[in-house]
Amino acid sequence: MDTDPTPKQLGFRLPAEWEQQAAVWFAWPTREDLWAEVLPLVRVQLAELYVLAARFQPVRVLCPRLLQVELKALMEQAGDASAVSLYDYETDDVWCRDYGPLFLLNDEGTKLCMTDWAYNAWGNKFPLQQKDNKATAWIGEQLGIQRFAFDMILEGGAIESNGAGQIMTTEVVLLNSNRNPGISKVEIEAQLSDGFGIDQVLWLNAGLVGDDTDGHIDNLARFFNSDSILITVVADSEDDNHAVLAENMCRAQAFRTPLGQPYTIVSLPLPEPIYLNGERLAASYMNYLVLNNAVLVPTYGQVQNDTIALATIAECYPGREVIGFDCRSIVREGGAIHCMSQHQPSVDR
């Protein structure tokens, strides 16, 4: 039986986030039941975030027309929003890293396509997910670019690409029965290879306590070039995250680059624990957003830890302006800057 060619067969690859970007996507919070009493503050902060990101590249925001007046007013208060474009689409939630398009480039860098994976709100933890699951197809129609749809459930925050044929992920997410029951590790690796044009999957184990995603990689480890990994650590052996993060470090130390060499590994500490209603939140400095000439880093009102995190990330991304952004309110819904964004690579023309 004839089958359509896969992105890998067509010469597409999943670029690294530090490669040149054409735009970054966000989704405006439309529901009044999110963030409880801090929702007005979060909306102000997100408008500020869009304006901040627009200093470095075009910003595209999914926002239904009825709410665009409010958003435009908030952005006007925040600064120059001339590089921000609004798209009339209502989402269920703001975490478009997980349900938005995962863009690929061909080997020549002259053609862009998108992959559209099934989304079930992190293992059906939340019932409102249908609008989010349909967002990628809608964006594909607006952009007029080729879309490859996959039945496998996959969130964008679950994978991290070095742009050179490898991705990192976690077993606790991709092998979780709440995503793709009955699919083996080998089968998942094959689908990732076909869908992203990669040659190898590097597996960490588990994630942070309190992470609704079960343990996304973007709170744990990020490539900052094709042969270097920034990884989350916690020094306190009594911390609930210590054992998991120590195992992840051991695994990362055993990883090999595409050239067969050990990875350069840099440690990034966790912030001090942050709690909401007695439950620990999955606060991590790793949830930063790489832009053209900038990195936006979540901060948590912890002067010493925030300063260390900003300095560490600045060393990993020389030549980029590293800017802290207060996420103490934002993290109450479970994520930070990377979770709520989706980068779109640039195309050479």
Side-chain angles (χ1 to χ4, degrees):
M1 183 175 63
D2 292 336
T3 57
D4 293 332
T6 65
K8 186 171 188 176
Q9 290 170 334
L10 294 174
F12 286 101
R13 68 178 182 92
L14 181 62
E17 292 186 31
W18 60 81
E19 298 182 45
Q20 190 71 15
Q21 298 179 20
V24 61
W25 292 80
F26 295 95
W28 183 245
T30 61
R31 290 163 44 197
E32 298 298 322
D33 61 330
L34 297 176
W35 280 291
E37 69 275 5
V38 299
L39 178 59
L41 170 61
V42 168
R43 283 180 166 149
V44 170
Q45 286 191 303
L46 293 188
E48 293 171 347
L49 179 63
Y50 304 160
V51 169
L52 174 60
R55 286 173 44 193
F56 303 96
Q57 64 196 60
V59 171
R60 296 169 175 173
V61 183
L62 301 175
C63 179
R65 191 170 303 278
L66 289 176
L67 299 181
Q68 289 183 9
V69 172
E70 174 191 13
L71 173 53
K72 288 177 180 177
L74 290 174
M75 289 194 298
E76 185 175 345
Q77 295 173 16
D80 181 6
S82 59
V84 181
S85 301
L86 304 185
Y87 287 73
D88 182 17
Y89 187 89
E90 181 177 351
T91 59
D92 296 303
D93 214 333
V94 300
W95 312 114
C96 68
R97 174 68 54 178
D98 290 343
Y99 57 76
L102 298 176
F103 294 97
L104 310 185
L105 281 174
N106 65 352
D107 288 336
E108 296 77 24
T110 57
K111 186 177 180 182
L112 188 71
C113 75
M114 63 169 62
T115 60
D116 185 357
W117 304 78
Y119 171 77
N120 73 346
W122 314 288
N124 289 311
K125 292 185 177 69
F126 304 97
L128 294 178
Q129 56 182 256
Q130 293 305 310
K131 295 174 185 174
D132 290 347
N133 191 34
K134 296 176 181 178
T136 292
W138 187 88
I139 292 172
E141 292 175 356
Q142 309 310 303
L143 298 181
I145 66 174
Q146 186 174 11
R147 179 176 67 94
F148 294 87
F150 296 89
D151 293 331
M152 177 177 150
I153 292 169
L154 176 72
E155 302 103 41
I159 58 168
E160 169 76 10
S161 173
N162 69 351
Q166 293 176 321
I167 61 173
M168 271 192 301
T169 189
T170 56
E171 293 176 355
V172 73
V173 173
L174 263 65
L175 304 185
N176 199 314
S177 61
N178 64 13
R179 262 62 162 206
N180 299 290
I183 301 180
S184 70
K185 188 175 187 178
V186 171
E187 290 170 325
I188 286 175
E189 289 182 336
Q191 290 200 43
L192 295 175
S193 177
D194 288 340
F196 294 124
I198 56 116
D199 302 312
Q200 186 180 18
V201 181
L202 304 176
W203 294 90
L204 296 183
N205 182 21
L208 298 180
V209 171
D211 190 344
D212 286 336
T213 73
D214 296 309
H216 271 183
I217 194 72
D218 63 359
N219 273 336
L220 302 172
R222 308 279 296 275
F223 295 111
F224 60 90
N225 58 48
S226 62
D227 59 6
S228 303
I229 295 173
L230 189 60
I231 190 165
T232 299
V233 298
V234 60
D236 182 3
S237 61
E238 300 299 315
D239 191 291
D240 292 342
N241 285 307
H242 183 269
V244 162
L245 297 181
E247 180 182 348
N248 283 343
M249 173 65 82
C250 288
R251 291 196 182 196
Q253 290 170 338
F255 292 162
R256 293 296 178 265
T257 71
L259 297 178
Q261 301 299 312
Y263 270 91
T264 297
I265 296 179
V266 175
S267 298
L268 184 66
L270 277 179
E272 291 297 318
I274 301 172
Y275 294 90
L276 178 65
N277 299 324
E279 299 291 330
R280 185 167 180 174
L281 299 175
S284 173
Y285 295 112
M286 199 66 69
N287 211 267
Y288 58 81
L289 172 61
V290 180
L291 300 171
N292 298 333
N293 302 316
V295 184
L296 309 184
V297 180
T299 57
Y300 300 100
Q302 303 175 13
V303 175
Q304 182 176 358
N305 290 327
D306 291 352
T307 300
I308 292 171
L310 291 168
T312 301
I313 292 171
E315 291 179 2
C316 295
Y317 293 91
R320 281 180 160 88
E321 184 177 355
V322 175
I323 304 170
F325 192 86
D326 188 347
C327 285
R328 283 176 289 180
S329 294
I330 291 170
V331 78
R332 291 169 65 133
E333 280 294 330
I337 305 172
H338 191 257
C339 295
M340 58 176 52
S341 61
Q342 185 59 262
H343 64 289
Q344 178 179 331
S346 290
V347 175
D348 294 330
R349 299 189 184 280

